[in-house]
Amino acid sequence: MTTHQTSSLLLGLAAIVLLAHLLGALARRLNQPTVIGEVLAGIALGPTLFHGALCDALFPAGIRPLLGALAAVGVASFMFLVGLQWDAATIRGSGSLAATVSISSILLPFGLGMLLALYLMDDYGTGDRTAFMLFMGIAMSITAFPVLARILTDRGMTRSPLGVVALACASIDDVLAWTLLAGAVAVSGPAGPDQWRILLAVPYLLGMLFVVRPLLRRFVARRPALTLTSTVFAAVLVGLLLSAAATEWVGLHYIFGAFLFGVILPRTGGERLRADVHERLGELSDTLLLPVFFLIAGLQVDLSRLDAAGLGTLGLILLVAVGGKFTGAFAAARLNRLPVRQSAALATLMNTRGLTELIVLNVGLQLGFLGRDLYSLMVVMAVVTTVMAGPLLSWIIGRPADTGRAGESAVPEHAADTANTVDTAV
């Protein structure tokens, strides 16, 4: 790196952190998740405003590959933390409610997304018909577990029966969505001489679940007072990076390896260790690395040429995304005898997409499943569906101060039994 590149990189990083912090704080004052302000910061620095002049001044072409590398580390860290938070105990005890709501809230928008892809094929298709249809279905099916958990935490609903069910649904939804995306990448990923590597994905998964995870459990069980020393933290980072590199090498995306390593870290006996890892890595990720990802994502969003036809397409995307997710979740909740208001609240929460959707969209853009114009519209959809979750939830079940009472009495007993078993750290 030259002196000019180094100074440009450091100046650009300072601008990213400052703008992300300011707009994130503004989002919190408006009772919105911080991620909304940070995403808008990335879009504001992109080509949508001033034809990219601001971005070109702050982030010359020579440093953008370096920013892209930092963004990849940020996404890997975030996916690891998502896996670290995922806990099967959240799902146990919720009976059929969480499973049916999750499956229904994925299948309906997935099918509608594929139909929408057929309609958009002529204008926005990328050549690979199957990949385009699969990816549009998956993109419509995403629920962002971390953003949903943050909304519940801010409202004091994490331990309420409705909050427990919502977390269980989002947990199942996460696993199903990532499984579908991994399958789509494996089936429709770019062909090449090394495509045989994808066959190693299954033994890798089995090895992580049935060899590495038991070894980690034994290691933690023999050290009940294990704390996060610099050596332990370094070992966790090495495991995260190696797992991410492995899935990237076999032909899947690195996000799957990062997520999987977070999932296999021991829960029982390792609660303090997991909390310390989350705190130490999460601070760096939230403050520096993820804002860089939002910048890279924003650089690909160009709404400056949006016309009436584009607005019509955006409206159709929102209709399919919101309507499919809401209808699927609401119908399944009502079939499980959940009252109308709580069913609507649960369906609203399942429509939260946030950062998880942005990661999925960037995977699609990198692999050629999406073109840049459609990517821009899908990013807007992700922002809109996340922004609307909080106000809609307040309208349905009341303000945060009222949600404890509103959520306590109307959830079936098989879901209410789990209210004291969940402790989600976000």
Side-chain angles (χ1 to χ4, degrees):
M1 288 179 61
T2 65
T3 300
H4 177 68
Q5 286 178 316
T6 301
S7 60
S8 296
L9 176 63
L10 296 175
L11 177 63
L13 289 175
I16 292 170
V17 172
L18 178 61
L19 188 57
H21 180 76
L22 291 176
L23 291 185
L26 178 60
R28 288 194 300 272
R29 289 184 64 87
L30 297 175
N31 296 318
Q32 289 292 335
T34 304
V35 65
I36 293 299
E38 294 173 337
V39 171
L40 293 178
I43 295 176
L45 291 174
T48 296
L49 301 178
F50 312 114
H51 302 289
L54 182 60
C55 180
D56 292 338
L58 287 174
F59 313 107
I63 70 168
R64 292 187 188 180
L66 303 174
L67 293 174
L70 284 175
V73 175
V75 171
S77 301
F78 173 79
M79 290 304 302
F80 165 74
L81 294 175
V82 172
L84 197 67
Q85 295 163 11
W86 191 87
D87 195 343
T90 309
I91 302 171
R92 288 195 294 267
S94 58
S96 62
L97 176 59
T100 53
V101 169
S102 296
I103 293 172
S104 180
S105 68
I106 280 186
L107 289 181
L108 183 58
F110 183 84
L112 292 176
M114 292 187 72
L115 291 176
L116 178 62
L118 280 175
Y119 176 76
L120 298 177
M121 189 74 68
D122 291 339
D123 294 328
Y124 297 97
T126 55
D128 189 332
R129 185 185 185 93
T130 301
F132 183 65
M133 292 178 63
L134 285 174
F135 188 82
M136 284 296 292
I138 293 167
M140 295 296 177
S141 308
I142 295 296
T143 294
F145 178 89
V147 177
L148 182 149
R150 173 52 61 192
I151 291 173
L152 294 175
T153 300
D154 290 345
R155 292 172 170 269
M157 293 175 61
T158 304
R159 293 178 179 271
S160 72
L162 180 61
V164 170
V165 171
L167 288 171
C169 291
S171 296
I172 299 172
D173 201 274
D174 255 7
V175 173
L176 292 176
W178 293 125
T179 302
L180 286 172
L181 182 59
V185 172
V187 171
S188 307
D194 296 325
Q195 198 172 18
W196 60 269
R197 292 177 182 172
I198 198 67
L199 299 175
L200 299 176
V202 173
Y204 174 77
L205 174 63
L206 295 176
M208 292 292 282
L209 293 177
F210 299 109
V211 177
V212 178
R213 182 167 64 172
L215 289 175
L216 290 174
R217 283 178 175 173
R218 291 175 190 171
F219 180 82
V220 171
R222 292 173 181 172
R223 295 163 177 81
L226 183 65
T227 58
L228 189 66
T229 63
S230 58
T231 300
V232 173
F233 187 56
V236 171
L237 290 181
V238 168
L240 154 65
L241 296 172
L242 287 177
S243 183
T247 51
E248 181 74 21
W249 183 80
V250 301
L252 294 176
H253 202 275
Y254 63 84
I255 59 174
F256 301 111
F259 175 77
L260 180 60
F261 189 71
V263 168
I264 68 170
L265 284 187
R267 268 62 180 158
T268 305
E271 293 84 357
R272 180 182 174 184
L273 179 64
R274 289 170 57 230
D276 289 346
V277 169
H278 186 279
E279 180 179 0
R280 187 179 297 186
L281 183 58
E283 194 71 26
L284 176 63
S285 177
D286 292 345
T287 306
L288 175 63
L289 299 178
L290 283 180
V292 174
F293 168 73
F294 294 134
L295 168 73
I296 298 300
L299 293 181
Q300 307 297 329
V301 175
D302 187 0
L303 301 174
S304 61
R305 297 174 298 174
L306 189 64
D307 55 13
L311 287 173
T313 301
L314 176 59
L316 192 57
I317 290 172
L318 286 169
L319 178 63
V320 170
V322 176
K325 199 74 172 174
F326 188 94
T327 303
F330 182 83
R334 292 294 293 140
L335 287 174
N336 281 272
R337 303 187 306 278
L338 200 67
V340 171
R341 189 169 60 158
Q342 275 63 44
S343 297
L346 184 57
T348 299
L349 287 167
M350 295 301 287
N351 247 308
T352 304
R353 287 177 171 86
L355 176 56
T356 308
E357 178 78 12
L358 290 182
I359 292 174
V360 171
L361 294 177
N362 272 270
V363 171
L365 188 65
Q366 290 172 13
L367 298 179
F369 296 163
L370 281 183
R372 185 168 173 176
D373 289 341
L374 185 56
Y375 168 86
S376 299
L377 298 179
M378 295 291 284
V379 169
V380 174
M381 178 271 288
V383 172
V384 170
T385 53
T386 305
V387 166
M388 74 180 194
L392 274 179
L393 198 61
S394 296
W395 180 68
I396 293 169
I397 62 174
R399 296 171 300 173
D402 302 327
T403 54
R405 192 164 53 250
E408 288 288 339
S409 61
V411 178
E413 291 184 3
H414 64 263
D417 289 341
T418 65
N420 296 320
T421 66
V422 177
D423 185 12
T424 303
V426 180

